[in-house]
Amino acid sequence: MSSFKIFDIAGSALSAQSLRLNTVASNLANADAISGTAEGAYKARLPMFKAAMEAGGKDTAGVQVLGVVESQTPADKRYEPGHPLADADGYVYAPNVNVVEEMVNMISASRSYQSSVEVMNTAKELASRTLSLGR
């Protein structure tokens, strides 16, 4: 593995945590969206990651983004007969977003992002010091 591969690994981690922060922001922005049907209710989005390891002579390592999937948790059914979006039985459907869980995900993703930035800064500083040894 090249000594500069650390930048690719940290960069893939930055990209993954950025996606994670974006999905958290989307989930929080839609946490109060109400729908008249369970199918129409916003479904929380979850990023899927995989550790990409160097194997078989391939020069890949880091975090691989597999995609973003929707949560399969059912929408929250609430009885609000006076709501303009209520169905014939008086129910509205709220998103399956757990705000507390999303806040924890946001803090975790933010700290992971900061850690990856520190890894890149440390690697840059070490490379710079190594190059200055020859002077």
Side-chain angles (χ1 to χ4, degrees):
M1 178 188 275
S2 167
S3 60
F4 292 106
K5 192 68 176 165
I6 188 71
F7 293 108
D8 293 336
I9 295 169
S12 70
L14 286 171
S15 178
Q17 295 309 322
S18 179
L19 174 66
R20 190 172 163 205
L21 284 167
N22 285 334
T23 57
V24 166
S26 176
N27 289 342
L28 288 174
N30 290 291
D32 293 326
I34 300 294
S35 177
T37 64
E39 297 79 25
Y42 178 83
K43 293 175 179 52
R45 287 163 172 74
L46 310 164
M48 302 297 291
F49 304 118
K50 175 183 170 186
M53 305 302 280
E54 191 172 336
K58 289 184 178 178
D59 202 24
T60 59
V63 180
Q64 180 181 3
V65 177
L66 298 177
V68 178
V69 297
E70 289 185 343
S71 172
Q72 297 303 311
T73 306
D76 185 26
K77 186 176 179 181
R78 298 180 189 164
Y79 184 68
E80 294 183 23
H83 196 284
L85 293 177
D87 63 9
D89 296 326
Y91 288 98
V92 295
Y93 299 87
N96 59 359
V97 175
N98 182 334
V99 175
V100 174
E101 185 178 310
E102 293 299 326
M103 294 300 290
V104 170
N105 281 334
M106 181 180 64
I107 292 168
S108 174
S110 176
R111 290 192 176 154
S112 294
Y113 190 93
Q114 290 171 348
S115 295
S116 296
V117 168
E118 285 301 315
V119 166
M120 290 187 89
N121 286 336
T122 301
K124 181 180 81 171
E125 182 64 29
L126 288 172
S128 177
R129 287 186 184 183
T130 301
L131 290 172
S132 70
L133 286 175
R135 292 184 198 167

